[in-house]
Amino acid sequence: MNAIPTSLQSTRLRPVVAVGAALTFVILAAVTTEAQDRPRPTRLPLVESDALQLGSFQTLDRHQASTLAFAEATGMPSLAGTSLASPGYSARQPSQANRSDPTGYQTGYQAAPGQRINARSQGNRLDQPGPGYQTGPADQTAPLYQTGPEYQVASKRPSEAKKAQPDQPASYSPNINIDDFSATPMPQASMYHDPIAAQFIYDDKHAVPTQRPLIELGRMFYADGITPRGLDWFGPMNMVRPQFYVYGDFRSGIIAGRNAAGRTDNWSSRLNLDMDLRVTDTERFHGFIGPLNKATNVNGVQLVDDELDFNSVFNPNLVTAFFEGDLGAMWGGFHNKSSPAEIPFTIGLVPLLFQNGIWMEDAVTGAAFALPARHSRLLNWSNYETTFFAVVDQLNSNAFAGDNHAAQAFGNAWFIEAYGGYIEAGYAYVRDRNNSEKSYHNVTASFTRRYFDRISNSTRVILNTGQDLDEDDRTADGGLLLWENSWITAAPLTVVPYVNAFYGWGRPQSVARAAASGGILRNTGINFDTDGVNGLATLDTNGFDTAGGSIGVDLIGNDLSRQLILEASYQTEHGDSNPFVNGDQFGLGGRYQFPISNSQILRFDVMHGWRGNLDDVYGTRMEYRWKF
């Protein structure tokens, strides 16, 4: 076959090229005309940190999302001609938001995935026709759904965009899927600016009245302003900021009634004074005195045989006096380093309280240290700490006939968060200095947990064993089981029904218990809890060979400003070691208290107990309390 000359080939292709060029020109002209006829969009700058993703292809800021929510509720057009960021991209600054030039082409730069926009030319160039299109990730293009006079916002996919009817206003479909992790659209009220309401937030602020300590020297207690630099006495890592406070409360009550010891008609008052000398943020000296009482003997006026008798009590002796600090912070200060560990400790006449005062509540001469904030992967303990203590003198216990110099105690207590609850456990060896046969072991354990999202339960047990005496001569033997429950109601802060029960066998004892702290059953209910001032009547509180419990409700005001407790209690004996329980006993009690200022409280108590073959007990009292 003869080859076609090159000049002839060129001549035959010229008509084809001309036709193609003409078609291209017509298409470009049509596209340009359509783009210019469309309404120009209004640009809203989009900040990436304030963006809200709608579906899988739109990016709206919070203001635009609010406009969508408002339009849905009112039926008004929304986001008409709004310029949005490309799918998968967000403009980092207003100047970098998507822009439309007069020719209908978008210009500007946006960062591709993994890239940043700088001041020059890095990033993906946006050169594409019409305001309705933007470049998506890679080479994808997706239409931008707007609610101008011609189009409605599509609900999910580009194919769902539809032409608006001429006689209908543009609207948007409410079928917009908001990602679970996206910000919630703001309510309609956010579309209106009320300057008076905005100013009210600041105009309504006022100082909350608080009671300052009676004496406050040095650095103020929870004061405002910048904390001044401390003194470099113990190293720059443990600065000295001297502070001295005296605080406490004054309690005065009037009672009429009868308790287990006889008539109790008196007007008594006591004063509690805490003295706190703080040296550094972790080290301090602390002391406590009760100048108007000595144990349960309280200063006041008593009515005895229809005659008034003034009971004068003045006690300047320290009830507690101890030093406490952190060995880690002290070591770090002396070596000009950060604290390598937390090892809090205390020494002196120390108040020790474990398991809400049930296992131990007394001020004893001794020392203690703790290992806090630890965990165990082996035992699946998320958090625990342990405290080791040694008591060398002034241990109060009914096991030693009221002699607080007779016994010593050595042991430790554990506090564990694990297995969906809270565990407290402890062991102490209580040693009698004069008679080793009276020495014994005291063990405790408790578990607290919420069940079914409705019941908060604490189960506690105390066991005493080891005294080498005849059974009738033992003073610490047997055990006590405590079962405490509260119901989680629809108003869990203001309505708290509770049911507490106990079962004691033998003669269970706390490790140490001050006389003024009441009996081992004090937390069972208000019918077992002494007031500490007037001697209000209670049912028997030692738990020797008895069983019983309390049922009641704790009602607190909606603003948490007042409290009303109503309770019924029962107790019975199942052995012969308790002379204070003879037959079945019943008790009814109530307590009401409320503040009369930010530092003063009024409290009212009433109780009546039917004690079987023993005399009934009862009482009514009113108390004024000033906290400072």
Side-chain angles (χ1 to χ4, degrees):
M1 180 182 295
N2 296 329
I4 301 174
T6 304
S7 59
L8 184 57
Q9 295 181 18
S10 176
T11 301
R12 293 182 178 180
L13 291 178
R14 288 175 183 174
V16 178
V17 173
V19 173
L23 291 176
T24 302
F25 178 82
V26 172
I27 293 173
L28 289 177
V31 172
T32 303
T33 302
E34 181 183 3
Q36 291 178 347
D37 291 340
R38 290 183 181 178
R40 305 302 294 165
T42 301
R43 287 192 298 111
L44 291 180
L46 180 65
V47 180
E48 182 181 27
S49 60
D50 199 30
L52 171 67
Q53 295 290 336
L54 295 184
S56 60
F57 51 85
Q58 289 186 340
T59 304
L60 304 182
D61 63 12
R62 297 179 186 275
H63 174 75
Q64 295 165 338
S66 302
T67 307
L68 284 176
F70 178 78
E72 179 181 6
T74 60
M76 296 175 59
S78 62
L79 289 181
T82 299
S83 175
L84 305 177
S86 302
Y89 300 100
S90 296
R92 298 188 176 274
Q93 298 178 4
S95 62
Q96 296 168 347
N98 300 335
R99 300 173 4 182
S100 298
D101 61 14
T103 61
Y105 288 83
Q106 290 183 330
T107 59
Y109 294 92
Q110 291 187 333
Q115 295 184 353
R116 298 178 56 188
I117 295 177
N118 59 21
R120 305 193 63 168
S121 59
Q122 296 181 1
N124 295 339
R125 180 78 178 182
L126 296 181
D127 289 328
Q128 38 187 302
Y133 291 87
Q134 293 181 338
T135 301
D139 294 330
Q140 299 177 4
T141 59
L144 192 65
Y145 299 104
Q146 303 171 336
T147 56
E150 188 176 0
Y151 289 91
Q152 292 180 327
V153 174
S155 59
K156 293 183 180 180
R157 293 183 175 84
S159 60
E160 297 178 8
K162 58 183 180 180
K163 191 81 169 180
Q165 299 298 327
D167 57 344
Q168 292 182 353
S171 62
Y172 103 105
S173 173
N175 300 322
I176 294 181
N177 294 334
I178 298 179
D179 190 277
D180 291 342
F181 297 97
S182 62
T184 303
M186 301 176 70
Q188 296 183 23
S190 66
M191 302 302 299
Y192 303 96
H193 176 65
D194 187 347
I196 298 178
Q199 182 65 28
F200 180 76
I201 297 175
Y202 301 95
D203 293 342
D204 192 49
K205 289 183 178 294
H206 58 275
V208 177
T210 57
Q211 179 63 32
R212 308 300 303 177
L214 185 64
I215 298 177
E216 190 174 18
L217 302 176
R219 182 182 175 187
M220 303 293 286
F221 185 76
Y222 284 107
D224 54 2
I226 300 176
T227 301
R229 180 176 174 81
L231 304 174
D232 188 7
W233 290 358
F234 305 123
M237 305 302 291
N238 194 24
M239 305 294 286
V240 174
R241 297 181 177 89
Q243 309 162 63
F244 179 70
Y245 306 138
V246 175
Y247 56 90
D249 61 8
F250 172 76
R251 303 175 62 190
S252 183
I254 301 175
I255 189 173
R258 172 188 174 85
N259 58 24
R263 290 294 307 183
T264 172
D265 306 295
N266 63 74
W267 179 9
S268 300
S269 304
R270 64 179 296 174
L271 179 64
N272 302 316
L273 291 176
D274 283 274
M275 298 167 289
D276 200 62
L277 175 60
R278 302 186 179 187
V279 183
T280 70
D281 291 339
T282 55
E283 284 73 53
R284 68 169 182 161
F285 295 90
H286 189 89
F288 171 81
I289 61 173
L292 299 183
N293 72 288
K294 189 172 184 178
T296 57
N297 188 18
V298 184
N299 185 85
V301 178
Q302 299 178 350
L303 181 64
V304 181
D305 297 331
D306 297 330
E307 294 184 359
L308 293 177
D309 180 25
F310 180 69
N311 181 33
S312 178
V313 178
F314 179 70
N315 179 23
N317 297 323
L318 288 167
V319 179
T320 68
F322 59 92
F323 171 79
E324 70 176 7
D326 190 305
L327 289 175
M330 296 172 66
W331 185 93
F334 286 127
H335 292 82
N336 195 18
K337 296 181 179 180
S338 298
S339 174
E342 293 184 7
I343 310 177
F345 73 98
T346 182
I347 186 169
L349 186 55
V350 184
L352 292 180
L353 186 147
F354 298 109
Q355 289 209 31
N356 295 337
I358 296 174
W359 191 51
M360 193 171 185
E361 185 176 2
D362 195 12
V364 297
T365 302
F369 72 93
L371 301 176
R374 299 173 179 270
H375 71 278
S376 172
R377 297 180 62 184
L378 177 63
L379 300 175
N380 196 24
W381 293 356
S382 61
N383 183 34
Y384 76 91
E385 82 173 55
T386 181
T387 298
F388 298 86
F389 59 86
V391 179
V392 297
D393 197 12
Q394 298 197 31
L395 186 151
N396 294 282
S397 174
N398 290 331
F400 305 100
D403 183 2
N404 63 351
H405 300 292
Q408 299 174 329
F410 307 91
N412 72 327
W414 293 78
F415 312 89
I416 306 167
E417 297 178 20
Y419 315 127
Y422 176 65
I423 302 169
E424 289 188 61
Y427 166 81
Y429 177 69
V430 185
R431 172 181 174 269
D432 190 311
R433 296 180 177 181
N434 305 316
N435 184 1
S436 61
E437 294 178 344
K438 277 191 173 182
S439 301
Y440 73 99
H441 306 275
N442 196 315
V443 183
T444 185
S446 71
F447 184 68
T448 300
R449 183 174 179 175
R450 179 174 295 181
Y451 298 94
F452 312 112
D453 293 329
R454 280 291 177 264
I455 301 174
S456 292
N457 169 265
S458 293
T459 302
R460 310 177 190 273
V461 63
I462 296 176
L463 299 175
N464 298 168
T465 185
Q467 285 191 340
D468 190 13
L469 298 170
D470 293 338
E471 184 176 354
D472 293 339
D473 297 331
R474 296 173 185 171
T475 57
D477 184 48
L480 176 67
L481 176 65
L482 298 167
W483 192 57
E484 305 166 358
N485 305 272
S486 62
W487 182 262
I488 310 300
T489 65
L493 297 179
T494 57
V495 181
V496 185
Y498 62 89
V499 177
N500 302 327
F502 68 90
Y503 181 85
W505 65 97
R507 302 174 180 86
Q509 302 284 355
S510 302
V511 175
R513 175 164 296 280
S517 64
I520 197 171
L521 295 178
R522 62 172 295 181
N523 290 348
T524 301
I526 61 174
N527 291 324
F528 296 88
D529 184 20
T530 182
D531 63 275
V533 178
N534 301 109
L536 179 66
T538 67
L539 299 181
D540 182 64
T541 60
N542 60 35
F544 293 179
D545 282 338
T546 55
S550 297
I551 181 172
V553 59
D554 187 354
L555 303 174
I556 302 174
N558 290 333
D559 57 353
L560 308 182
S561 63
R562 56 198 65 242
Q563 180 187 43
L564 173 64
I565 302 177
L566 302 174
E567 181 180 285
S569 303
Y570 171 76
Q571 185 174 222
T572 188
E573 61 178 342
H574 60 81
D576 55 3
S577 63
N578 193 340
F580 301 105
V581 180
N582 189 351
D584 295 339
Q585 296 187 356
F586 302 89
L588 293 176
R591 175 181 299 170
Y592 180 64
Q593 58 183 342
F594 60 93
I596 56 178
S597 74
N598 64 290
S599 61
Q600 302 173 83
I601 299 174
L602 283 182
R603 168 177 158 180
F604 301 87
D605 295 278
V606 61
M607 188 270 178
H608 194 108
W610 296 266
R611 302 198 302 161
N613 298 325
L614 302 176
D615 293 335
D616 292 348
V617 294
Y618 49 87
T620 303
R621 68 182 293 268
M622 179 183 72
E623 177 185 332
Y624 165 79
R625 185 175 185 180
W626 173 42
K627 304 176 70 175
F628 53 83

